[in-house]
Amino acid sequence: MGSIMRTREEVSLDRAADRFFRSYHAHCTRPDEDTLFHLLNVMHSLNDKLRKASSTTLFASQSFIGLKALRNLFHHEGELIHEVRIIPVGKLPPVSMDLMSVCLVARDLVERAAGSKDPASVTSAFRWYGGIADIEPAIFNMAVDAFEVLHVAGARPSSDAYRAFAAQYEAEEDEGRPHHVTGEIRCRAGDVEEVLRVAFAQTPASRSD
């Protein structure tokens, strides 16, 4: 018997999922403003393709809700992406953290993205250190949420980036490890809030234009 024909919407979803995981891989391996901006945009597109192909969306993901608000702000006011500070762990004082970099956004920018309708749904998506949010854990957790929703939706991505993510997810399953991260940062050099405040202030914007 031949394979069941997939609809145009299902094929479009597969391609959107591959774009998303390629973009996520690029952001994880060489993060900068461009990889963040592109990732947020393909995330937005993926959600649209999910809705059309399966009547499923990513809106059950708190991380997605927060990141979508930032995406919308950056989409309409692109220069604001330069206010984000992406700092590899190696450029911070000695810290213990789940991920290889922080992606820091000032509170006023997050609150501007959140608007007045339901700001808590946006601000609660991120890990806060005083007036600075680290959105990198939300990016990681949103990718996990997307992977799980795509599986339920019956999507069939085939890119190397998707297969690598799936292999890591399955390894965590086999070892009984959680798929999501807390994003907590622990610092041996002093107060984490102060360390990140100084890092945010001293890190120049990595403008690509």
Side-chain angles (χ1 to χ4, degrees):
M1 295 290 292
S3 60
I4 298 174
M5 292 292 293
R6 294 172 64 73
T7 67
R8 181 173 60 184
E9 290 78 14
E10 289 170 335
V11 172
S12 181
L13 175 59
D14 295 342
R15 292 171 178 168
D18 279 329
R19 283 193 297 273
F20 171 79
F21 282 100
R22 284 194 295 266
S23 179
Y24 176 73
H25 176 76
H27 179 72
C28 289
T29 54
R30 50 185 188 278
D32 59 20
E33 295 166 4
D34 290 337
T35 64
L36 174 63
F37 189 73
H38 185 64
L39 176 60
L40 294 179
N41 279 318
V42 297
M43 174 198 73
H44 182 271
S45 176
L46 175 63
N47 187 61
D48 185 57
K49 296 296 191 295
L50 266 167
R51 179 180 54 80
K52 292 178 179 178
S54 67
S55 300
T56 304
T57 70
L58 291 169
F59 280 105
S61 167
Q62 185 180 35
S63 296
F64 171 77
I65 291 172
L67 292 169
K68 181 178 183 296
L70 284 174
R71 178 266 172 194
N72 291 343
L73 180 64
F74 295 149
H75 180 73
H76 294 291
E77 301 185 56
E79 73 282 358
L80 294 178
I81 193 75
H82 299 307
E83 297 187 22
V84 176
R85 298 293 183 267
I86 301 173
I87 309 172
V89 64
K91 293 187 177 181
L92 293 170
V95 295
S96 175
M97 52 191 283
D98 297 320
L99 305 173
M100 297 304 296
S101 64
V102 294
C103 189
L104 306 179
V105 184
R107 181 178 292 276
D108 61 345
L109 196 62
V110 175
E111 291 178 344
R112 184 172 172 182
S116 59
K117 185 176 181 180
D118 185 14
S121 68
V122 174
T123 58
S124 61
F126 306 127
R127 189 90 191 191
W128 287 94
Y129 299 91
I132 297 172
D134 180 14
I135 70 169
E136 195 67 21
I139 292 171
F140 182 95
N141 289 333
M142 180 272 299
V144 174
D145 294 338
F147 177 84
E148 293 175 345
V149 169
L150 286 164
H151 178 74
V152 172
R156 302 178 188 174
S158 58
S159 63
D160 290 344
Y162 173 81
R163 287 197 293 265
F165 193 97
Q168 179 62 35
Y169 186 96
E170 291 167 5
E172 291 166 354
E173 285 275 292
D174 293 342
E175 297 167 12
R177 292 187 285 126
H179 301 301
H180 295 84
V181 297
T182 66
E184 181 182 4
I185 300 174
R186 296 165 295 278
C187 183
R188 296 187 295 274
D191 180 66
V192 175
E193 184 176 320
E194 178 64 12
V195 166
L196 293 185
R197 186 193 65 78
V198 171
F200 183 89
Q202 292 182 348
T203 303
S206 54
R207 295 179 184 268
S208 59
D209 54 358

